[in-house]
Amino acid sequence: MAEAYIVEAVRTAGGRRNGKLAGWHPADMAGEVLNALVDRTGIDPAAIDDVILGCVTQAGEQGFALARNAVLASRLPVSVPAVTIDRQCGSSQQAIQFAAQAVMSGTQDVVIAAGGESMSRVPMFSNTSFHAKEGVGVGPFSPRIQQRFGVKSFSQFDGAEMIAAKYGFDRETLDRFALESHRRAAAATQAGAFEREIVPLDVDGVPHVIDEGIRADATLAGIGSVKLLQEGGVISAANASQICDGASGALIVSERALKAHGLTPIARIVNMTVTAGDPVIMLEEPIPATQRALERAGMTIGDIDLYEVNEAFAPIPLAWAKALGADPDRLNVNGGAIALGHPLGASGTKLMATLIHALKARGLRYGLQTMCEGGGIANVTIVEAL
């Protein structure tokens, strides 16, 4: 079977809400990632067959084809096409899988998978809330959907609480996991673990290269003092992912392109899986998705050297690890979205950049990436570092 290779994977350092990257237009931010992929690989930009870019809140500055606008804001020629996709938080992970499928099918040879999200400039849910405020339409969930599932809406916050209750996680367990995320991210930053994957962005004449959300001085008491999102619950803003601005991307090519352009791959894509399940609990789907991916790949969880499981909320990676019997020392080894931020549509290729570079830094072979997604969907991608 034809193979798909990742030649480079990069990301911006995260920016906090209304923080250092708030002055960057999302098209420009994503455009810098496209430039970096070309510069670091030496690929002829005219050879790029397509750009597939994930973005969740496609409104305002992220409306009107953000992927195409990212190309126009970059140094890529206008002959490079682009498409914007939305699989919620898994948007740019799906971009990786679409790009790999394109090169494996032989229809394309060089494809950039990317993601971009400015949560400062285009607030989460603003693509629906502005319509609701003006009384336009009834929202994304039709009466038929509401009747079928017995809910007026689908809430990721409710889903996180449901998973915590189902797997028996109390507030302290979640807060301890959050603290460890900050500790690991701070240690990785101090050790220079992220330097190779980060694309510097100019902020008032200074390169932005440090993830802004990391709290190196975080304490369990401080995390535990943060108000709960709902009375009687266990989820707080401190044990959930941080709102974040950022962009990321990966250059994915066929074996033919490796030879034609003299490229050196950093990873091979081993398996691509996507599954869907209960849209109410919503965020549990990475568990069956991972089970299916491992089965299809002929692997066990013990064969995987490192895992990146998006920390949308602390119960998600904790439940995933508990259900699969995964080694916690291999999980999000450089911290996760609780410390580093979750720039929605950019998180898929962001996590892939971190995963591949972490594997290579440790001389390890196999990595698995998954994340929960709105609607009860989950992507799983298994890669082999080269």
Side-chain angles (χ1 to χ4, degrees), residues 121-151:
R121 299 170 73 101
V122 187
M124 185 167 54
F125 305 129
S126 60
N127 54 341
T128 58
S129 63
F130 287 177
H131 291 77
K133 183 178 178 181
E134 296 300 321
V136 178
V138 297
F141 306 115
S142 70
R144 180 184 297 180
I145 297 172
Q146 294 171 349
Q147 183 177 6
R148 178 180 179 185
F149 293 98
V151 296

Side-chain angles (χ1 to χ4, degrees), residues 157 160-161 164 174 227-230 233-237 239-240 313 315:
F157 306 103
E161 292 283 0
L174 304 186
K227 183 180 178 181
L228 293 170
L229 297 184
Q230 64 183 50
V234 292
I235 305 295
S236 74
N239 59 38
F313 300 91

Side-chain angles (χ1 to χ4, degrees), residues 177-188:
F177 182 86
L179 178 61
E180 183 64 15
S181 182
H182 283 285
R183 285 177 173 170
R184 291 186 180 190

Side-chain angles (χ1 to χ4, degrees), residues 56-70:
V56 173
T57 311
Q58 296 182 32
E61 293 180 350
Q62 292 173 176
F64 203 77
L66 177 61
R68 177 58 174 167
N69 290 335

Side-chain angles (χ1 to χ4, degrees), residues 91-113:
S91 295
S92 56
Q93 185 172 356
Q94 184 61 58
I96 292 172
Q97 296 188 185
F98 280 155
Q101 289 165 354
V103 303
M104 292 169 74
S105 72
T107 56
Q108 295 177 321
D109 287 303
V110 182
V111 182
I112 289 177

